[in-house]
Amino acid sequence: MLDPTARDRLAVLADVLIPGSGDFPSASAAGVPTDLIDRALGFRPDLVPAFGRALELADGLDAEAALDLISTGHIAEFEALSTLVSGAYLQSPQVQQALNYRPAPRQANDDIDSYVDLLEVVVDRGFDIHGADLS
Amino acid sequence: MQSAVEDADVLIVGAGPSGAVAAYELARRGFKVVCLEQGDWNLPDDFTGDKPSWELARLKQWHPSPNRRGNDADYPINADNSPLEPLLFNGVGGSSILYSGHWVRALPSDFRVKTLDGVAEDWPFTYEDLRPFYDEVTHHIGASGLEGDPSYPDAHTFPLPPLPIGKAGLRAARGMDKLGWHWWPAPNAISSRAFRNRPACQRYGACESGCPAGAKASADLTYWPDAIAAGAVLITGARVRTLTTDENGLVAGAEYVDRDGHWHHQRAGITILAANGIGTPRILLNSASSAHPDGLANSSGLVGKRLMIHPYASVYGTYDEDLESHLGPAGQSLQSLEFYETDESRGFVRGGKWNLMPTPGPLNRVLWEPGTDWRDGFGSSFHDKLSSTFGRTLEWGITTEDLPEESNEIVLDPELTDSDGIPAAKINYQITENNDRLLDFHIARAVEAHEAAGAVSIHVDRVVRDSGWHLLGSARMGEDPKDSVVDQWGRSHDIPNLFVLDGSNFVTSTGVNPTATIMAIALRAARHLADNRHNQVSAS
Ligand SMILES: Cc1cc2nc3c(=O)[nH]c(=O)nc-3n(C[C@H](O)[C@H](O)[C@H](O)COP(=O)(O)OP(=O)(O)OC[C@H]3O[C@@H](n4cnc5c(N)ncnc54)[C@H](O)[C@@H]3O)c2cc1C
């Protein structure tokens, strides 16, 4: 569980990584530093240590400087931070709606009719098969 | 030590597609079959493709690399000396739990590369010999596809109609049409309609992290239920360290450890290795003894040699409309064999197979690539990158044929072991010059295919590191015991009651996804063994 200081620090970093734009909320407006990061960390407990270290590295630095430092010198920490922040962000229903993302399930409907004309051309062209015993 | 199954006629190591097809064929023909599998069963509900955790979990818990996943059932593989990461799964169903299900037959020329192209060796049988077994397996597993692809000499059939190619497939097909290039709605080992114990595909696009619908034809769902019903005994959590030999030089069975750390010995008259192109040579090399200092069945010196992995290129095209390219199957929607056959004017021999694939999941579109400036994909670029690529990006993936080289090999790592202390495998692998030229040519053509279809931007990943999913050739078959490990029936030249039925036995890699061929070969060999059981030598 992140303490309030860690959440505050995460909010600042996450909003620089993912600012708001048009219909898309910023990371903190989407709920990343609160519920969504907890959920993401639950999905990836292996990333908890590197994520914690990334937040510690940001201590006392301005967000851009912190992200520069972590991404250039601490690859595992930046991977954990950026993957978890974006993974958490994309869980938000508001974000999925802005993206027009309607995940499956969908029916696997037959669509042969949409391409059968194109396919006739392929059949008519034929193919130079090598090495077959055509007897 | 007492065997788990007394009086076993046949011991199979590995419960992937090759082990499963052999288990069913032999059990139904009256053999007492026992299979040792180091992993466990998975149920469709174990997979995360229909759950919010999916995109994060597929980067770790369901990653196709055992090194990244690190499950109890996994064994590590040292791939420091390889540009390709080996990908596989250890459990009932083997790597078919994670496979994409591209269900592709090899072509006739694949079996005759020496005769036709003057390279490597011909196989000891032809496409025509294998054809009935391709047909049988295709119908047993319930593959989806469309009859009549002109790139094959026969209009082979599928029990199920093709899966939808969707808006994305249609867009790409139009591009191929403009160029006059071959394409075909792709064959997949995924059910387009309910088939036996499997429902129809629900288009999650999560095939490569386990099908949450249970629609993919993984071997746990296709052959294992039949094999078990026919009497085969499948023991999970059983990791084989070595094969043992008797006083006649025959294989007596296998020594294995269970998940509680207890060691056992399973005896059997006949032993079949079906542990894949890394697991099988690892067991043979780990079975070295004073009588077999270079490992078992290795008088040719070729156990572990000639590893082929199919270097894979991804050519992504991004389009200016929503093509719903996040929807499955993944799976392939189209395939093209336009540049499959040799044309020496291109400066290389052999070729490759193209598959059109979707790009499921938004997280994949925005992952940071180490070494790049974070501002390239985050900050003010984040939303542009996400919105302009998600649902609009298609992959022409290119499986390229790599020819066998003795220097591309599996050896035992001198230090690395698995969690049971069993020496791990190490891969030494380099891409050949022929393959480098082949990759460049194919990538340039795939770029043209996207351009013809109207892509607004194109991104090339020349050799995808996480693409070592085809592990082939490391115990090759052939007629001459001096330059092959097993004969055309998978039987060891050195030890007549030992068989290798996984893709280790490939002579060349072909340029297509191998599982249909692996299973057809395993079925052919198992049937031959059953038909000729009275001539078969067994350990007592
Ligand atoms: C991500 C991914 C995508 C793929 N996509 C495709 C595709 O689209 N089309 C295609 O044709 N192929 C594809 N493949 C390859 C396909 O999965 C393999 O060709 C196929 O599974 C090989 O079958 P097999 O039985 O020979 O080996 P495997 O399926 O690898 O099974 C081997 C089994 O042996 C067991 N084993 C190994 N060593 C031991 C031991 N010491 N003791 C006990 N058990 C042991 C393992 O646990 C495993 O379960 C893909 C693979 C991956 C990983």
Side-chain angles (χ1 to χ4, degrees):
Chain A
M1 200 46 102
L2 297 176
D3 63 34
T5 318
R7 281 192 206 278
D8 288 348
R9 200 173 292 163
L10 171 63
V12 175
L13 294 174
D15 279 351
V16 173
L17 286 171
I18 310 182
S21 170
D23 292 341
F24 287 95
S26 68
S28 52
V32 168
T34 50
D35 306 0
L36 294 180
I37 198 69
D38 292 345
R39 194 200 268 210
L41 285 164
F43 296 152
R44 289 295 302 276
D46 60 297
L47 291 182
V48 171
F51 178 73
R53 287 196 303 275
L55 294 184
E56 276 166 27
L57 284 162
D59 188 14
L61 293 177
D62 131 88
E64 295 230 1
L67 295 173
D68 284 340
L69 171 85
I70 306 169
S71 64
T72 48
H74 306 271
I75 290 181
E77 286 73 12
F78 194 81
E79 271 193 316
L81 176 70
S82 60
T83 303
L84 287 166
V85 165
S86 24
Y89 181 75
L90 292 164
Q91 305 270 324
S92 152
Q94 197 187 339
V95 171
Q96 294 189 358
Q97 200 178 359
L99 197 54
N100 194 21
Y101 177 32
R102 212 163 43 84
R106 294 271 213 298
Q107 269 200 330
N109 293 326
D110 189 344
D111 60 5
I112 296 182
D113 284 352
S114 70
Y115 58 81
V116 71
D117 296 352
L118 289 174
L119 212 51
E120 268 170 28
V121 183
V122 179
V123 174
D124 290 348
R125 202 164 41 231
F127 198 87
D128 178 17
I129 301 169
H130 291 203
D133 176 1
L134 299 171
S135 57
Chain B
M1 267 182 275
Q2 210 187 354
S3 294
V5 174
E6 289 301 325
D7 307 324
D9 298 316
V10 178
L11 162 64
I12 298 175
V13 181
S18 60
V21 75
Y24 175 51
E25 179 65 14
L26 295 172
R28 84 180 180 87
R29 299 288 296 274
F31 288 79
K32 196 163 176 183
V33 174
V34 57
C35 176
L36 300 176
E37 165 55 54
Q38 65 191 335
D40 289 310
W41 289 92
N42 287 282
L43 298 174
D45 199 41
D46 296 335
F47 306 123
T48 56
D50 57 349
K51 301 177 182 67
S53 56
W54 170 52
E55 284 213 84
L56 285 166
R58 76 163 149 164
L59 299 171
K60 172 70 180 169
Q61 294 95 326
W62 291 103
H63 197 281
S65 163
N67 292 331
R68 212 84 57 85
R69 219 168 38 230
N71 285 345
D72 286 350
D74 290 322
Y75 56 99
I77 300 163
N78 181 345
D80 293 347
N81 196 19
S82 164
L84 305 175
E85 177 75 13
L87 306 179
L88 49 84
F89 190 76
N90 299 308
V92 179
S95 307
S96 70
I97 294 293
L98 300 187
Y99 78 161
S100 314
H102 302 193
W103 186 254
V104 194
R105 298 173 180 223
L107 272 78
S109 65
D110 283 314
F111 300 90
R112 306 181 57 203
V113 295
K114 178 78 175 170
T115 302
L116 297 170
D117 302 313
V119 289
E121 295 83 20
D122 288 349
W123 290 52
F125 48 77
T126 64
Y127 174 83
E128 289 74 19
D129 293 325
L130 208 51
R131 193 179 139 188
F133 301 97
Y134 275 130
D135 288 339
E136 189 171 329
V137 175
T138 297
H139 283 261
H140 190 100
I141 66 146
S144 302
L146 188 68
E147 183 179 347
D149 182 346
S151 59
Y152 288 86
D154 49 275
H156 50 265
T157 60
F158 297 86
L160 297 172
L163 286 148
I165 69 168
K167 291 183 197 169
L170 194 55
R171 183 87 189 233
R174 292 220 166 94
M176 298 297 268
D177 185 56
K178 263 196 210 159
L179 295 164
W181 290 352
H182 171 263
W183 65 276
W184 200 254
N188 284 291
I190 299 168
S191 40
S192 54
R193 299 196 182 146
F195 184 85
R196 298 182 71 202
N197 54 344
R198 306 202 316 272
C201 169
Q202 296 178 22
R203 307 198 66 188
Y204 286 105
C207 313
E208 286 178 330
S209 41
C211 177
K216 193 172 70 170
S218 48
D220 55 327
L221 299 178
T222 56
Y223 275 94
W224 273 115
D226 296 324
I228 290 167
V233 175
L234 173 52
I235 302 177
T236 57
R239 174 174 280 157
V240 170
R241 175 169 61 187
T242 50
L243 301 186
T244 55
T245 48
D246 66 12
E247 60 285 2
N248 301 318
L250 297 172
V251 169
E255 196 183 25
Y256 71 95
V257 60
D258 67 24
R259 294 271 53 88
D260 297 324
H262 299 128
W263 287 90
H264 307 261
H265 185 258
Q266 174 62 54
R267 297 188 65 81
I270 296 163
T271 294
I272 293 176
L273 289 177
N276 98 19
I278 294 179
T280 284
R282 178 185 179 221
I283 292 171
L284 291 173
L285 295 173
N286 269 328
S287 302
S289 62
S290 51
H292 304 276
D294 300 323
L296 219 50
N298 198 16
S299 66
S300 65
L302 288 178
V303 169
K305 303 283 183 186
R306 296 168 58 108
L307 175 71
M308 295 167 280
I309 320 188
H310 283 164
Y312 182 86
S314 287
V315 182
Y316 293 100
T318 299
Y319 292 78
D320 57 3
E321 61 169 326
D322 182 359
L323 295 169
E324 295 187 322
S325 65
H326 61 89
L327 288 177
Q332 46 174 359
S333 53
L334 309 183
Q335 75 178 26
S336 172
L337 298 173
E338 178 67 25
F339 303 107
Y340 194 84
E341 305 282 14
T342 296
D343 175 347
E344 281 184 22
S345 69
R346 297 176 191 148
F348 58 85
V349 291
R350 307 304 300 154
K353 168 237 160 190
W354 296 14
N355 44 252
L356 188 79
M357 287 187 74
T359 50
L363 180 58
N364 241 358
R365 304 282 97 230
V366 293
L367 287 175
W368 178 66
E369 268 180 51
T372 60
D373 188 337
W374 62 271
R375 291 175 189 79
D376 293 348
F378 288 92
S380 56
S381 334
F382 182 85
H383 294 291
D384 260 4
K385 187 173 176 198
L386 180 61
S387 305
S388 65
T389 59
F390 178 68
R392 295 157 182 253
T393 304
L394 314 180
E395 180 205 11
W396 273 118
I398 305 164
T399 296
T400 62
E401 171 159 4
D402 53 341
L403 291 164
E405 295 286 336
E406 283 198 24
S407 52
N408 285 339
E409 59 178 5
I410 304 286
V411 295
L412 293 179
D413 191 282
E415 282 156 26
L416 190 68
T417 65
D418 63 26
S419 56
D420 294 304
I422 305 172
K426 173 172 192 227
I427 298 182
N428 295 315
Y429 179 90
Q430 294 306 319
I431 293 172
T432 63
E433 215 182 300
N434 187 68
N435 207 281
D436 260 329
R437 286 197 287 264
L438 196 160
L439 275 162
D440 288 338
F441 173 88
H442 276 254
I443 289 168
R445 300 293 81 70
V447 167
E448 288 166 17
H450 276 306
E451 284 169 351
V456 289
S457 70
I458 293 169
H459 170 78
V460 174
D461 192 349
R462 187 175 181 277
V463 176
V464 179
R465 175 154 183 99
D466 280 346
S467 75
W469 33 54
H470 303 157
L471 302 161
L472 306 165
S474 48
R476 72 157 285 209
M477 63 172 93
E479 276 155 20
D480 186 347
K482 288 206 276 309
D483 66 8
S484 57
V485 178
V486 296
D487 69 12
Q488 64 163 311
W489 309 109
R491 186 198 328 254
S492 155
H493 291 302
D494 296 351
I495 304 176
N497 72 335
L498 172 65
F499 290 76
V500 172
L501 294 190
D502 57 66
S504 311
N505 62 24
F506 275 36
V507 179
T508 56
S509 66
T510 82
V512 299
N513 317 66
T515 309
T517 305
I518 290 173
M519 292 179 81
I521 292 173
L523 176 59
R524 178 176 181 267
R527 185 153 302 161
H528 182 266
L529 171 56
D531 289 347
N532 295 281
R533 66 186 302 173
H534 299 299
N535 301 325
Q536 175 58 47
V537 179
S538 287
S540 48

